[in-house]
Every structure is written in C-alpha cells, then in structure tokens.
Amino acid sequence: MYDRTPDRPAYHRDTVVIGASAGGIQALRMIVRELPSPFPAAVLIVLHIGNHESALAAILRASGPHPVIQPSDGEPVRPGHIYVAVPDRHMLLEYDRIRLSRGPRENHTRPAIDPLFRSAALTRGPRVIGTLLTGRLDDGVVGLQAIKECGGLAVVQDPVSAEEPSMPLNALRSVVVDRVVPLASMAGALAELVGEPTTWGWAPATSAAEEQLAIEQASEQRAVAAQPPEQRATVPQRPASDAPAAEAIPVHLSREHAIALGEGNAVGELDSMGRPSRYSCPECGGTMWQIDAPGPTRFRCHTGHAYAMRSLLGAQSTRVEQALWEAARALREKAMMLRQVAQLDRRAGDAAGADTNERRAGQYDEQASVLRGLVREGAGADAGVASGGMGEAADRKGFR
C-alpha cells in the first residue's frame, strides 16, 4: 500500500537481482565482464539450471574481477560480490543474508527467478534493481512487478538483443519498466543506476482510483492484524534499521512469500487474495487459486507451487504430451496382450476367439498410432511455449 510517512530516510540502490534463462550464460558473461570494479552493490543471479550441476560461478569468475560465490545458507551479502543460485534451491534474500530453500517449484523450476525478486522486494524495497534478461516464457515477470510495488526499479533487456526474447517481451507486456536496455549497454546502465539515492515508501496516490486502492489496502492490513498470530503472513524478521516500514509492504506479497515458505494457513491466505480457478496444479494436481493482485495473471496452489500464465500453459502442455505418450503406451501394451491371448486361443482350438482378439489388437495399434501422430504434430505444444520445460537447465551445453 502507499506509505505516506513524510521525510523518510534516504538510502542508495545497493542491490541488483538478475534473472535469466535460455541464452543467459553469454548475456551474464558480458555483463560481469563490463561491470566496473569495485561495484558498489551486491549482485544476485538466478539462471534456470534445475537440479543439474552448474559451472556458472566458475564461468563468471573467469569473466571479470568480481568475487563470484555459490552461497551457502546464511551467507552474508556484501557489496561488490556476485551470488549465483545453486542447483535445486531457491535463492532468497533476507536483508543482509541469503537463504536457500527447497520450497515448492515456481514456474515449474527451482531455482526460480520470482522467489528471489519477491524476497528482495520485501526486504530491501526501493534499494533493489530488478533485471530480467533473455529467456523463455515468463518466470521473473511477477517478481519484477513485486519490485516495482515495493519502490524498486525494473530493468529489462531489449528483446531485439535477446537470444530468447519471450521473457523480456512478457515483462514489457505486464510491467511498467523503468529501462529497456540492449545487452551491450546493460552493465553501464546498472552502474549508472546503482548508488542513486532513494527513500523508503511510495509516492502518494495521485488519482481517485489510487486513493481508493490505498483505502482498500489499509482495510486489508487491519483485517490481517485481527487474525490469530499463527495465521498472519509476515515478512522475515529484520534488523530494526534495515528495511522499509511494515505498513509500506503490499499485503499480498507478504502472504505469497509466507505460502512459498510453508508458513501460516495457506488456504486461508489464498482465499484472502484470490479465488479458486478451474485449473489443477501440474506439479501436485491440487486446486490452483488465481491471485487477484497487480501485475500479470498468476496462480498458486495451497502446496505452494506457483505459475504465471504462460508458464502454467507451458507446464500443462508438457502434461498433455506426457498423457498422450502414456495413453499410446497403454494401447500398445493392450494390443500385445491381446495377441498373446489370441495365441493361447489358437492353441486351445478357439479360432474364432483368436481372430476376434487379433482384430481388437489391430484396432488398439491404430489408436496408438493416432496418438503418436498427435504428439509428433505438436498436440501438446502451443504457440509461444517452448519444448523442454522451464525446469530444464538453461544453456545445458554451457554446463557440461
């Protein structure tokens, strides 16, 4: 919500969070090589690597003079250092330390970009510069919106310069970004933005609609305060001098963060910020809630899995293809069983029964062939949804 407290203390933008997927290794190498040294901000990077062993830290370490670290849980965050997400763990920022979490996948991947961006927005507010680079689908778009809501800056790679433009394009469709920057100019743009003074809080509402939104959010805050403590969604405990005021944090972000961490009453929190959708979670099969909040359309189940719209479509497309292959396999197996039964019938002198079973086996073979043809023609795929899934390692060859 809007924080109207006057004369908030000034801070500097000292936190850069970067998300990338396909094509990200070369983009990150260029940025790290061209960042000035010393760099007056901490840089935290999530690249889609899934649970595959990653050499990204070594690659970036060889690309420039900056210290590059694959952090452990509780690692202190220091200016001038670059922190790279480890395989199969979400990397979260909790004020001055990094938290590694094996929480639910978001956008069908872990590590995911959205959890890092959201945690940075919640704990460092306007000090954050969110940067989204090349990649497929829309992981990072919801997190970029969270950074904007908490007063930070949103920077997006110019899609023309991106090896895979869909992630930057989806950000531009859904978020009011502050800069669209060609890859060749990204390091210079970040160097320019880092160190700019900022203040905690948001600008006052300037329209009737914004005033009404502020009133509604204040009412929502009071309702949360009235809940039993165990049901309240909260941001992580913070040092007294190192975070935006609690009243400045959008309630829906703190609730989503709590669900992702497995805290509080997940169903109650989801009911308070969205409505059950018609879709089931591709990960666990549970009901998904559509979140009623600013920014791109997104969904979350009570287990904690979360999807932006295009990532959900991509995951469901993968499920459709998997289901078609499973159905084709089952039909082939049924045909083989029927032929085996037909052999037994012939040995027993039941020629009519054997002919019937062989005819049925042929029908099942034909049906399996139809399903296999559907898969080959892309029945499980949709325009704008890349094959392979978000959980696959980005730039797999670069890690081998």
Side-chain angles (χ1 to χ4, degrees), residues 37-58:
S37 180
F39 191 63
V43 180
L44 293 88
I45 296 172
V46 168
L47 180 74
H48 288 156
I49 55 175
N51 60 0
H52 303 279
E53 183 177 349
S54 170
L56 180 62

Side-chain angles (χ1 to χ4, degrees), residues 55-77:
L56 180 62
I59 292 170
L60 298 184
R61 204 175 290 125
S63 301
H66 312 280
V68 180
I69 300 168
Q70 271 196 330
S72 56
D73 191 42
E75 185 91 32
V77 176

Side-chain angles (χ1 to χ4, degrees), residues 10 13 17 27 46 61 79-80 82 84 113 126 138 148 177 183 224 226 228 241-242 255 265 297 303 313 321 356 380:
R13 303 192 191 278
V17 290
V46 168
R61 204 175 290 125
I82 297 173
V84 176
I113 301 167
D138 51 3
K148 289 289 294 182
V177 305
L183 179 60
V224 171
S241 61
D242 189 34
R255 286 174 171 167
N265 177 359
T297 301
T303 305
L313 177 60
E321 180 175 337
T356 299

Side-chain angles (χ1 to χ4, degrees), residues 187-204:
L190 294 177
E192 177 187 337
L193 294 171
V194 163
E196 284 188 354
T198 182
T199 57
W200 295 129
W202 283 255

Side-chain angles (χ1 to χ4, degrees), residues 224-255:
V224 171
Q227 292 178 343
E230 65 274 10
Q231 294 185 10
R232 297 178 192 169
T234 59
V235 297
Q237 294 299 312
R238 62 177 176 84
S241 61
D242 189 34
E247 65 268 22
I249 296 171
V251 175
H252 70 90
L253 292 181
S254 59
R255 286 174 171 167

Side-chain angles (χ1 to χ4, degrees), residues 3-11 198-204 245 247:
D3 178 7
R4 300 169 182 277
T5 306
D7 301 324
R8 304 294 283 178
Y11 294 83
T198 182
T199 57
W200 295 129
W202 283 255
E247 65 268 22

